[in-house]
Amino acid sequence: MHDRPRARTMSLARVVLSSGRSVDLAELRLSSTYGEMPEDFPGYPCKPVNDMVIEGLLSTAARTSPATPVHLVPPPRAYPDQYAGAFGPVEILPSVACVGSFRSSALDPSHDPVLYHSALTVIWFQPTARLPCECDAEGSLRGVDWEGLARDCEL
């Protein structure tokens, strides 16, 4: 048997986590954070609305890939100096909601590296529709605890 270096898989991007682990972005869904709100919705960006947006992203991601764990990177919340309505103060999330399916080498060193990989679906928010890249990804995304959250999967 010959040892061959692993070829980089065809991915949308590679992100280097703070731990030093490289993870490949296999799939990415970008959406406007408040794009799903109907025009006649009587609300405004506030904590209850933001919690509904986040819960919707989490449940959709869990249904889409039930075998893969889902992790939410807690989003930054801005509180502009605006009138507080019936649902509390105005609270704004970054404008782009991201749901990414990431893959990396297996967590368990006893797993065959050809047959196993680790996987994690990550939800995060960012101000632009920019693709995360290498060490230039959002700091909160790079800080994901891969070893504690991802799961090994057999191909």
Side-chain angles (χ1 to χ4, degrees):
M1 176 177 240
H2 300 285
D3 288 332
R4 289 185 245 174
R6 280 190 68 138
R8 182 172 175 174
T9 59
M10 295 299 290
S11 63
L12 296 172
R14 176 166 281 179
V15 175
V16 180
L17 302 178
S18 300
S19 66
R21 177 183 278 271
S22 292
V23 297
D24 291 319
L25 180 60
E27 182 179 345
L28 178 62
R29 191 182 115 212
L30 300 174
S31 61
S32 170
T33 299
Y34 301 110
E36 298 288 321
M37 288 176 51
E39 294 225 4
D40 60 346
F41 183 73
Y44 57 93
C46 58
K47 182 172 178 18
V49 169
N50 291 339
D51 290 347
M52 286 189 314
V53 167
I54 291 168
E55 186 54 43
L57 291 167
L58 287 166
S59 63
T60 299
R63 280 193 318 273
T64 302
S65 297
T68 304
V70 177
H71 173 67
L72 170 70
V73 174
R77 297 170 188 247
Y79 299 93
D81 189 18
Q82 294 180 355
Y83 173 75
F87 301 111
V90 174
E91 179 184 272
I92 300 174
L93 298 176
S95 59
V96 181
C98 307
V99 180
S101 297
F102 290 90
R103 307 281 181 265
S104 187
S105 57
L107 296 167
D108 185 341
S110 69
H111 283 153
D112 183 329
V114 175
L115 297 177
Y116 286 86
H117 68 274
S118 56
L120 179 64
T121 298
V122 180
I123 298 169
W124 76 98
F125 292 81
Q126 59 186 36
T128 65
R130 189 175 66 80
L131 192 66
C133 182
E134 298 284 337
C135 296
D136 195 27
E138 295 284 322
S140 57
L141 177 60
R142 291 185 58 240
V144 167
D145 175 19
W146 189 268
E147 285 71 17
L149 298 167
R151 181 179 304 147
D152 279 350
C153 306
E154 188 173 11
L155 298 177

mmCIF file of all heavy atoms in Angstrom, residues 64-86:
data_model
loop_
_atom_site.group_PDB
_atom_site.id
_atom_site.type_symbol
_atom_site.label_atom_id
_atom_site.label_comp_id
_atom_site.label_asym_id
_atom_site.label_seq_id
_atom_site.Cartn_x
_atom_site.Cartn_y
_atom_site.Cartn_z
ATOM 1 N N THR A 64 -32.826 19.437 6.308
ATOM 2 C CA THR A 64 -32.110 19.230 5.050
ATOM 3 C C THR A 64 -31.064 18.126 5.166
ATOM 4 O O THR A 64 -30.905 17.319 4.266
ATOM 5 C CB THR A 64 -31.447 20.555 4.598
ATOM 6 O OG1 THR A 64 -32.459 21.542 4.457
ATOM 7 C CG2 THR A 64 -30.722 20.381 3.288
ATOM 8 N N SER A 65 -30.341 18.088 6.264
ATOM 9 C CA SER A 65 -29.301 17.075 6.485
ATOM 10 C C SER A 65 -29.443 16.512 7.894
ATOM 11 O O SER A 65 -28.691 16.883 8.802
ATOM 12 C CB SER A 65 -27.913 17.680 6.308
ATOM 13 O OG SER A 65 -27.716 18.135 5.003
ATOM 14 N N PRO A 66 -30.386 15.596 8.110
ATOM 15 C CA PRO A 66 -30.646 15.120 9.468
ATOM 16 C C PRO A 66 -29.477 14.383 10.127
ATOM 17 O O PRO A 66 -29.401 14.331 11.350
ATOM 18 C CB PRO A 66 -31.858 14.204 9.310
ATOM 19 C CG PRO A 66 -32.024 13.972 7.861
ATOM 20 C CD PRO A 66 -31.286 15.023 7.124
ATOM 21 N N ALA A 67 -28.553 13.837 9.346
ATOM 22 C CA ALA A 67 -27.431 13.094 9.925
ATOM 23 C C ALA A 67 -26.263 14.001 10.319
ATOM 24 O O ALA A 67 -25.333 13.551 10.976
ATOM 25 C CB ALA A 67 -26.949 12.038 8.938
ATOM 26 N N THR A 68 -26.331 15.265 9.914
ATOM 27 C CA THR A 68 -25.231 16.188 10.183
ATOM 28 C C THR A 68 -25.624 17.149 11.299
ATOM 29 O O THR A 68 -26.695 17.746 11.247
ATOM 30 C CB THR A 68 -24.895 17.001 8.906
ATOM 31 O OG1 THR A 68 -24.612 16.095 7.847
ATOM 32 C CG2 THR A 68 -23.700 17.904 9.125
ATOM 33 N N PRO A 69 -24.775 17.319 12.312
ATOM 34 C CA PRO A 69 -25.096 18.277 13.368
ATOM 35 C C PRO A 69 -25.133 19.706 12.820
ATOM 36 O O PRO A 69 -24.452 20.028 11.842
ATOM 37 C CB PRO A 69 -23.968 18.104 14.382
ATOM 38 C CG PRO A 69 -22.939 17.268 13.744
ATOM 39 C CD PRO A 69 -23.508 16.640 12.518
ATOM 40 N N VAL A 70 -25.936 20.535 13.462
ATOM 41 C CA VAL A 70 -26.087 21.939 13.067
ATOM 42 C C VAL A 70 -25.635 22.816 14.223
ATOM 43 O O VAL A 70 -25.984 22.573 15.376
ATOM 44 C CB VAL A 70 -27.563 22.250 12.715
ATOM 45 C CG1 VAL A 70 -27.732 23.723 12.377
ATOM 46 C CG2 VAL A 70 -28.044 21.371 11.573
ATOM 47 N N HIS A 71 -24.853 23.835 13.893
ATOM 48 C CA HIS A 71 -24.358 24.762 14.911
ATOM 49 C C HIS A 71 -24.662 26.193 14.483
ATOM 50 O O HIS A 71 -24.418 26.579 13.340
ATOM 51 C CB HIS A 71 -22.848 24.590 15.094
ATOM 52 C CG HIS A 71 -22.242 25.614 15.992
ATOM 53 N ND1 HIS A 71 -22.522 25.694 17.339
ATOM 54 C CD2 HIS A 71 -21.387 26.646 15.723
ATOM 55 C CE1 HIS A 71 -21.850 26.697 17.869
ATOM 56 N NE2 HIS A 71 -21.164 27.289 16.909
ATOM 57 N N LEU A 72 -25.178 26.984 15.411
ATOM 58 C CA LEU A 72 -25.408 28.404 15.185
ATOM 59 C C LEU A 72 -24.279 29.200 15.826
ATOM 60 O O LEU A 72 -24.014 29.062 17.023
ATOM 61 C CB LEU A 72 -26.739 28.840 15.808
ATOM 62 C CG LEU A 72 -26.989 30.352 15.851
ATOM 63 C CD1 LEU A 72 -27.228 30.902 14.450
ATOM 64 C CD2 LEU A 72 -28.158 30.681 16.774
ATOM 65 N N VAL A 73 -23.614 30.019 15.024
ATOM 66 C CA VAL A 73 -22.651 30.972 15.553
ATOM 67 C C VAL A 73 -23.488 32.148 16.049
ATOM 68 O O VAL A 73 -24.205 32.769 15.253
ATOM 69 C CB VAL A 73 -21.653 31.428 14.467
ATOM 70 C CG1 VAL A 73 -20.753 32.525 14.994
ATOM 71 C CG2 VAL A 73 -20.833 30.249 13.956
ATOM 72 N N PRO A 74 -23.461 32.440 17.342
ATOM 73 C CA PRO A 74 -24.307 33.528 17.852
ATOM 74 C C PRO A 74 -24.048 34.829 17.095
ATOM 75 O O PRO A 74 -22.910 35.283 17.009
ATOM 76 C CB PRO A 74 -23.896 33.651 19.323
ATOM 77 C CG PRO A 74 -23.306 32.320 19.661
ATOM 78 C CD PRO A 74 -22.653 31.832 18.399
ATOM 79 N N PRO A 75 -25.119 35.390 16.520
ATOM 80 C CA PRO A 75 -24.916 36.591 15.699
ATOM 81 C C PRO A 75 -24.773 37.854 16.539
ATOM 82 O O PRO A 75 -25.343 37.955 17.626
ATOM 83 C CB PRO A 75 -26.213 36.657 14.873
ATOM 84 C CG PRO A 75 -27.242 36.010 15.733
ATOM 85 C CD PRO A 75 -26.506 34.928 16.488
ATOM 86 N N PRO A 76 -24.035 38.823 16.014
ATOM 87 C CA PRO A 76 -24.004 40.128 16.685
ATOM 88 C C PRO A 76 -25.365 40.801 16.479
ATOM 89 O O PRO A 76 -26.001 40.632 15.443
ATOM 90 C CB PRO A 76 -22.889 40.880 15.946
ATOM 91 C CG PRO A 76 -22.796 40.227 14.614
ATOM 92 C CD PRO A 76 -23.193 38.790 14.815
ATOM 93 N N ARG A 77 -25.814 41.515 17.482
ATOM 94 C CA ARG A 77 -27.105 42.208 17.415
ATOM 95 C C ARG A 77 -26.864 43.694 17.649
ATOM 96 O O ARG A 77 -26.233 44.069 18.633
ATOM 97 C CB ARG A 77 -28.068 41.631 18.452
ATOM 98 C CG ARG A 77 -28.374 40.159 18.180
ATOM 99 C CD ARG A 77 -29.131 39.519 19.334
ATOM 100 N NE ARG A 77 -29.260 38.085 19.147
ATOM 101 C CZ ARG A 77 -30.419 37.461 18.927
ATOM 102 N NH1 ARG A 77 -31.538 38.133 18.868
ATOM 103 N NH2 ARG A 77 -30.449 36.157 18.769
ATOM 104 N N ALA A 78 -27.369 44.512 16.723
ATOM 105 C CA ALA A 78 -27.212 45.968 16.839
ATOM 106 C C ALA A 78 -28.514 46.570 17.347
ATOM 107 O O ALA A 78 -29.602 46.113 16.997
ATOM 108 C CB ALA A 78 -26.839 46.560 15.488
ATOM 109 N N TYR A 79 -28.384 47.579 18.167
ATOM 110 C CA TYR A 79 -29.538 48.260 18.753
ATOM 111 C C TYR A 79 -29.478 49.740 18.376
ATOM 112 O O TYR A 79 -28.956 50.552 19.139
ATOM 113 C CB TYR A 79 -29.555 48.074 20.268
ATOM 114 C CG TYR A 79 -29.660 46.624 20.667
ATOM 115 C CD1 TYR A 79 -28.517 45.864 20.910
ATOM 116 C CD2 TYR A 79 -30.902 46.008 20.764
ATOM 117 C CE1 TYR A 79 -28.618 44.521 21.253
ATOM 118 C CE2 TYR A 79 -31.010 44.668 21.115
ATOM 119 C CZ TYR A 79 -29.854 43.939 21.352
ATOM 120 O OH TYR A 79 -29.963 42.618 21.675
ATOM 121 N N PRO A 80 -30.006 50.080 17.194
ATOM 122 C CA PRO A 80 -29.959 51.489 16.781
ATOM 123 C C PRO A 80 -30.871 52.338 17.666
ATOM 124 O O PRO A 80 -31.809 51.832 18.281
ATOM 125 C CB PRO A 80 -30.470 51.450 15.336
ATOM 126 C CG PRO A 80 -31.283 50.209 15.241
ATOM 127 C CD PRO A 80 -30.667 49.229 16.215
ATOM 128 N N ASP A 81 -30.584 53.611 17.713
ATOM 129 C CA ASP A 81 -31.365 54.531 18.535
ATOM 130 C C ASP A 81 -32.666 54.856 17.800
ATOM 131 O O ASP A 81 -32.776 55.882 17.124
ATOM 132 C CB ASP A 81 -30.549 55.801 18.795
ATOM 133 C CG ASP A 81 -31.211 56.710 19.816
ATOM 134 O OD1 ASP A 81 -32.086 56.225 20.563
ATOM 135 O OD2 ASP A 81 -30.859 57.902 19.833
ATOM 136 N N GLN A 82 -33.617 53.924 17.885
ATOM 137 C CA GLN A 82 -34.915 54.092 17.246
ATOM 138 C C GLN A 82 -36.007 53.801 18.257
ATOM 139 O O GLN A 82 -35.782 53.116 19.252
ATOM 140 C CB GLN A 82 -35.050 53.151 16.041
ATOM 141 C CG GLN A 82 -34.102 53.460 14.917
ATOM 142 C CD GLN A 82 -34.271 52.486 13.749
ATOM 143 O OE1 GLN A 82 -35.026 51.541 13.815
ATOM 144 N NE2 GLN A 82 -33.526 52.743 12.683
ATOM 145 N N TYR A 83 -37.184 54.270 17.937
ATOM 146 C CA TYR A 83 -38.333 54.087 18.809
ATOM 147 C C TYR A 83 -38.615 52.603 19.029
ATOM 148 O O TYR A 83 -38.660 51.822 18.081
ATOM 149 C CB TYR A 83 -39.556 54.774 18.192
ATOM 150 C CG TYR A 83 -40.837 54.495 18.941
ATOM 151 C CD1 TYR A 83 -41.097 55.112 20.161
ATOM 152 C CD2 TYR A 83 -41.779 53.605 18.442
ATOM 153 C CE1 TYR A 83 -42.260 54.851 20.855
ATOM 154 C CE2 TYR A 83 -42.949 53.332 19.126
ATOM 155 C CZ TYR A 83 -43.185 53.968 20.327
ATOM 156 O OH TYR A 83 -44.336 53.703 21.023
ATOM 157 N N ALA A 84 -38.784 52.210 20.271
ATOM 158 C CA ALA A 84 -39.136 50.830 20.597
ATOM 159 C C ALA A 84 -40.632 50.648 20.387
ATOM 160 O O ALA A 84 -41.443 51.415 20.893
ATOM 161 C CB ALA A 84 -38.759 50.508 22.036
ATOM 162 N N GLY A 85 -40.991 49.628 19.628
ATOM 163 C CA GLY A 85 -42.395 49.353 19.358
ATOM 164 C C GLY A 85 -42.971 48.386 20.372
ATOM 165 O O GLY A 85 -42.392 48.142 21.438
ATOM 166 N N ALA A 86 -44.107 47.814 20.005
ATOM 167 C CA ALA A 86 -44.840 46.914 20.900
ATOM 168 C C ALA A 86 -44.052 45.654 21.243
ATOM 169 O O ALA A 86 -44.306 45.032 22.271
ATOM 170 C CB ALA A 86 -46.172 46.542 20.261
#
